[in-house]
Amino acid sequence: MKSPAILEDTAEVLETTIPRVERLTVLNEKEKRKVISLIREAAENFKALAENVKKDNVQLAEFFFKKAKELKNMSTDNGIEKEGKKKYIERAKKMNFYSKSAVYDFDPDMLKALKKAYRTYLFGMTAFFLLVGVYMSQVMAVTALILAIPTILSMLSLQRRGYLGLLLAYSTIPIPIIQGAMGLTYGLRQLTTPGAIGKITEMINKSPSFVKGWLIFMVILSAAELYLILYGSYLLYKHRHAFL
C-alpha cells in the first residue's frame, strides 16, 4: 500500500511547518499557540493513521499531502498578509479536521461503526413517526409533519457524511425524546391506574383487550424509540469528526 508512506510524509510536512509558525510576526502569541496546537495534533493524527491503514486510498492521501504543503508554504508573514489571518487560521483548522475524519476513509471498521450510528438514528426516527400514529394526538401529528422534511434531509446528508446532516439530525432529536417519554409515562400510568382502561374503552368505543394491547404496544414502542434516539445521538456525537 502507498497510502501509509504518503500519510507519513504529510505528518512530516506538518511538523516542519511548526518552526515556521513560531517565527511569524503577523500573528500574536495566542494565535500562534492555537495554530501550532492544531498543526501538531494533525501531525500526530496522520502519524497514527499511517500505522493503522487498512484500506489503501492513494488519491485522498495525496490530497492531504497537498493541503499540508499549501499550509506550510502559506506559513510566512507575506503569505498570511496576502491571504488574511482569518483564512490562514481556518486552513489550520481544516487540516486538523481532515486528520480526524481521515480514519473513516482508511479503516472499513470505522466506516461500519459510522453506518451503525446512522442506522440507529434512522430506526429511532422511524419509531418516532410510528409512535405519533399510535399516540393519536393531532398536535404531535402536525409536529411530525413539520419534522419530516429536516429528518429526510438529515438522512440523505448523513449518508454522504455531510456536516449539515449532523446538525439537522440533532435539531430533530429533542421532540422525539419528549414524545417517547410522554408515550412511555402515559401508557404505564393507564395500565397501572385502576379503572383507566375502562374509561378509555368508553371513550374510543373499543374492547378492553384492544385498549390494553394498544397501551402495551405504546409502552414498548416508546421505550424502543427512546433507546434508539438517545443511543443514536450518542453514536453520532462519538463519530462527529466523520462529517465534513
Side-chain angles (χ1 to χ4, degrees):
M1 290 193 294
K2 295 181 179 180
S3 295
I6 300 172
L7 292 170
E8 286 179 2
D9 290 342
T10 302
E12 185 179 348
V13 169
L14 291 172
E15 287 175 342
T16 57
T17 303
I18 293 175
R20 287 194 173 202
V21 178
E22 291 173 339
R23 293 193 296 269
L24 293 173
T25 59
V26 294
L27 300 182
N28 59 43
E29 284 302 314
K30 183 179 179 181
E31 290 169 333
K32 285 199 287 187
R33 291 304 108 195
K34 181 179 181 180
V35 171
I36 289 171
S37 176
L38 289 168
I39 294 175
R40 181 174 287 120
E41 184 181 17
E44 291 172 356
N45 289 339
F46 280 121
K47 265 188 178 179
L49 180 59
E51 296 173 358
N52 296 282
V53 172
K54 295 180 181 178
K55 177 185 176 183
D56 205 17
N57 193 333
V58 176
Q59 186 176 2
L60 186 60
E62 288 177 343
F63 169 80
F64 293 143
F65 179 75
K66 178 185 175 183
K67 290 297 179 182
K69 291 286 288 183
E70 288 177 358
L71 181 62
K72 181 177 180 179
N73 293 334
M74 193 59 63
S75 298
T76 63
D77 288 334
N78 288 336
I80 295 173
E81 285 175 349
K82 288 179 181 179
E83 186 174 53
K85 287 198 295 184
K86 187 176 180 180
K87 286 186 178 180
Y88 174 74
I89 293 173
E90 281 301 314
R91 278 181 179 268
K93 287 181 179 179
K94 278 188 177 181
M95 199 72 238
N96 183 276
F97 192 71
Y98 289 149
S99 72
K100 292 176 179 176
S101 65
V103 63
Y104 295 91
D105 298 288
F106 293 91
D107 187 346
D109 293 334
M110 290 297 293
L111 200 57
K112 287 180 182 177
L114 179 62
K115 288 181 179 179
K116 179 183 177 181
Y118 161 73
R119 287 169 183 163
T120 303
Y121 164 73
L122 171 62
F123 293 148
M125 292 305 296
T126 301
F128 162 69
F129 288 112
L130 287 173
L131 182 59
V132 168
V134 173
Y135 200 67
M136 294 187 294
S137 166
Q138 290 185 347
V139 174
M140 291 310 301
V142 172
T143 304
L145 285 174
I146 295 172
L147 284 180
I149 294 176
T151 299
I152 293 170
L153 292 176
S154 70
M155 290 176 181
L156 293 173
S157 184
L158 286 174
Q159 282 185 314
R160 299 192 299 269
R161 289 173 56 188
Y163 189 69
L164 178 61
L166 184 64
L167 295 179
L168 286 172
Y170 274 103
S171 71
T172 62
I173 283 173
I175 290 177
I177 290 175
I178 294 171
Q179 177 62 53
M182 287 172 58
L184 185 62
T185 55
Y186 173 80
L188 290 173
R189 186 170 62 250
Q190 300 307 312
L191 285 169
T192 56
T193 301
I197 292 178
K199 290 180 180 179
I200 298 174
T201 299
E202 294 176 1
M203 189 182 304
I204 65 175
N205 195 27
K206 296 289 183 180
S207 67
S209 59
F210 174 86
V211 173
K212 188 174 182 180
W214 171 65
L215 290 171
I216 291 173
F217 180 68
M218 181 187 294
V219 168
I220 294 172
L221 185 59
S222 297
E225 187 245 44
L226 276 174
Y227 170 77
L228 290 168
I229 289 291
L230 291 172
Y231 187 47
S233 63
Y234 161 73
L235 290 177
L236 287 175
Y237 178 78
K238 181 180 178 181
H239 297 285
R240 64 192 181 281
H241 296 303
F243 301 97
L244 300 169

